[in-house]
Amino acid sequence: MVRYGKEHKAETRRRIIETAGRRFKRDGIDGSGVSTLMKDAGLTNGAFYAHFESKDDLVTTAIADQLKVQAENVVAQAAPGRAGIEQIVRGYLSPQHRDNLGDGCPNAALLDEIGRCTDTTRQAYTDGVLVLIDGIASRMAPEAPSSARVKALGLLGLLAGTLQLARALTDRQLADALLEQGVNNALALLDADQRV
Amino acid sequence: MVRYGKEHKAETRRRIIETAGRRFKRDGIDGSGVSTLMKDAGLTNGAFYAHFESKDDLVTTAIADQLKVQAENVVAQAAPGRAGIEQIVRGYLSPQHRDNLGDGCPNAALLDEIGRCTDTTRQAYTDGVLVLIDGIASRMAPEAPSSARVKALGLLGLLAGTLQLARALTDRQLADALLEQGVNNALALLDADQRV
DNA sequence: TCTATGGTATGGCGAACGTAATCCAAATCG
DNA sequence: CGATTTGGATTACGTTCGCCATACCATAGA
């Protein structure tokens, strides 16, 4: 077994990606400096460029990683079919998720900032989100028509936007009510979809 | 009496607020420096602090202004009742709006960043968005039950999230399809609401 | 002309990204 | 098994750019 070899560097790289993902979600991409990101990983800023070409390189990698993890969680943890979707929706639009930026959905935390990123980053985002989307779509329409993907994207837009709005409001009661409304909206769309 | 006339300074301030609103929406809050913001207004950075206490002060003011203008546009331009809502929804989830950051909705452009702002800024956002929301709510349920406000917030969340998602995707055809799906979703919610 | 006012020009200070020069521990080889 | 090599990490630095402040100037009204 290699002791110092490839595993060491790969593990360090992984740690940077994971802690950076959390930091980006909490403080934003522009709001997170390289030296802070490295301190989060227990390193100093100079080591950064042995792992990534640039901050943008890390941003792209971290976003892809966040979406991958989220997709795995969806696939692994949620029940199949409509029951799984309802489970996902209720967990997503919960006060716990609203109040936990770091462990939460990267879409809700970063979506408008991602829209301003480089094409490379947005491409990685697009690829990553489609994997997540397919995990959701398979539960919305098991027969999987081509429109299922678009419907799942529509659902994700609703979820992310509602959560962002709940996070931005200072009135917590109103934010709570909005989350409930969001759950009702999401479920209503699913039911309307099945009726057609 | 005042030398330059009150109008002059007030007009300069207004110009800064308006150009800053556009810049924030295009480049983000963290992505916009004070000297850039002032250059946009045709001034140099030093003059900034004759008009605002700090960048945060401008951020708060600009967000409030953006929401005020948006609320006025909604009230002024959209027809009353359900027809007005449909008009708003179709305009909001249009490719034109998606491709025009600077003139677009401040919620879609800045929502997740606003969630990370100071309490003061978030309070100003909350106050401002509620005015906008009431303009929408009055068209959703003319009898105006207390839940109309929450329903309108739910709709705004759907609209903003869907538009953000459409902006982040690199696949334009998919983004177009998502916008259409968003329109259908929004209208379905309105109809479901009326049936109850 | 005198003075208040709005704006410019300039600068301090810190943080940002990125690049070395150096260090130290593990891996390899004679 | 000791010397050498390798490579990940540290420290330090350069440059740029961020926010914020102030000394000065130009203008317009009294």
Side-chain angles (χ1 to χ4, degrees):
Chain A
M1 209 143 73
V2 197
R3 271 184 278 181
Y4 201 77
K6 292 201 171 180
E7 294 181 12
H8 191 197
K9 183 167 183 181
E11 193 199 316
T12 301
R13 178 185 162 93
R14 168 124 297 276
R15 198 169 66 246
I16 297 172
I17 294 169
E18 281 171 7
T19 55
R22 298 175 60 86
R23 173 66 70 171
F24 285 148
K25 289 190 289 184
R26 287 192 343 104
D27 295 351
I29 296 172
D30 283 346
S32 305
V34 169
S35 78
T36 303
L37 293 167
M38 292 303 278
K39 202 170 290 178
D40 286 347
L43 300 170
T44 52
N45 68 16
F48 179 85
Y49 297 90
H51 294 277
F52 302 96
E53 275 190 1
S54 63
K55 180 182 176 182
D56 205 64
D57 182 15
L58 170 63
V59 169
T60 302
T61 308
I63 287 174
D65 179 70
Q66 287 288 319
L67 290 168
K68 183 159 165 285
V69 169
Q70 191 179 24
E72 284 164 1
N73 286 351
V74 164
V75 169
Q77 293 185 0
R82 146 95 203 212
I85 295 261
E86 185 161 340
Q87 191 183 340
I88 291 170
V89 168
R90 290 190 188 280
Y92 196 104
L93 296 178
S94 66
Q96 291 81 355
H97 189 191
R98 177 195 59 196
D99 298 334
N100 190 353
L101 264 283
D103 296 326
C105 172
N107 298 285
L110 298 173
L111 202 40
D112 66 46
E113 223 169 347
I114 291 169
R116 292 187 292 265
C117 284
T118 63
D119 287 351
T120 307
T121 301
R122 288 173 54 231
Q123 184 61 52
Y125 170 78
T126 302
D127 295 342
V129 84
L130 286 179
V131 175
L132 168 65
I133 281 302
D134 285 340
I136 298 174
S138 69
R139 286 172 171 77
M140 290 180 71
E143 68 279 6
S146 76
S147 69
R149 182 175 261 191
V150 175
K151 283 179 180 159
L153 278 170
L155 177 61
L156 178 62
L158 184 155
L159 294 177
T162 303
L163 191 62
Q164 286 182 1
L165 194 44
R167 282 171 173 165
L169 295 172
T170 51
D171 182 337
R172 282 177 87 81
Q173 285 196 345
L174 187 60
D176 287 343
L178 170 60
L179 291 178
E180 285 180 37
Q181 178 69 43
V183 171
N184 292 337
N185 286 350
L187 298 183
L189 288 183
L190 291 173
D191 293 343
D193 193 35
Q194 285 208 329
R195 272 206 304 277
V196 175
Chain B
M1 212 38 196
V2 194
R3 311 294 164 149
Y4 256 94
K6 292 197 173 176
E7 299 168 13
H8 192 197
K9 183 167 183 181
E11 192 199 317
T12 302
R13 179 186 162 94
R14 169 124 296 277
R15 196 169 69 246
I16 298 172
I17 293 169
E18 281 171 7
T19 54
R22 297 176 60 87
R23 174 65 70 172
F24 285 148
K25 289 190 288 184
R26 286 192 342 105
D27 295 352
I29 296 172
D30 284 347
S32 306
V34 169
S35 78
T36 304
L37 294 168
M38 292 303 279
K39 202 170 290 177
D40 286 345
L43 300 170
T44 52
N45 70 16
F48 179 84
Y49 297 90
H51 294 277
F52 302 96
E53 275 190 1
S54 64
K55 180 182 176 182
D56 205 63
D57 182 14
L58 171 63
V59 169
T60 303
T61 307
I63 287 174
D65 179 69
Q66 287 288 319
L67 291 169
K68 182 159 165 286
V69 169
Q70 193 179 22
E72 285 164 2
N73 286 350
V74 165
V75 170
Q77 294 185 359
R82 146 94 204 213
I85 295 261
E86 185 161 341
Q87 192 184 339
I88 292 170
V89 167
R90 290 189 187 282
Y92 197 104
L93 295 178
S94 66
Q96 291 81 357
H97 189 189
R98 177 195 60 197
D99 298 334
N100 189 355
L101 264 283
D103 296 325
C105 173
N107 298 285
L110 299 173
L111 202 41
D112 66 47
E113 222 169 348
I114 291 170
R116 292 188 292 266
C117 284
T118 63
D119 287 351
T120 307
T121 301
R122 286 172 56 231
Q123 184 60 53
Y125 170 77
T126 302
D127 295 342
V129 84
L130 285 180
V131 175
L132 168 65
I133 281 302
D134 285 339
I136 298 174
S138 69
R139 287 173 172 76
M140 291 179 72
E143 68 280 6
S146 75
S147 69
R149 183 176 261 190
V150 175
K151 284 178 178 158
L153 277 170
L155 177 61
L156 179 62
L158 184 155
L159 294 177
T162 304
L163 191 62
Q164 285 182 3
L165 194 43
R167 282 171 174 165
L169 295 171
T170 52
D171 182 336
R172 283 178 88 80
Q173 285 195 344
L174 187 60
D176 287 342
L178 169 59
L179 291 178
E180 284 181 36
Q181 178 68 43
V183 172
N184 292 337
N185 287 350
L187 298 183
L189 288 183
L190 291 173
D191 293 342
D193 193 34
Q194 285 208 328
R195 274 206 303 278
V196 176

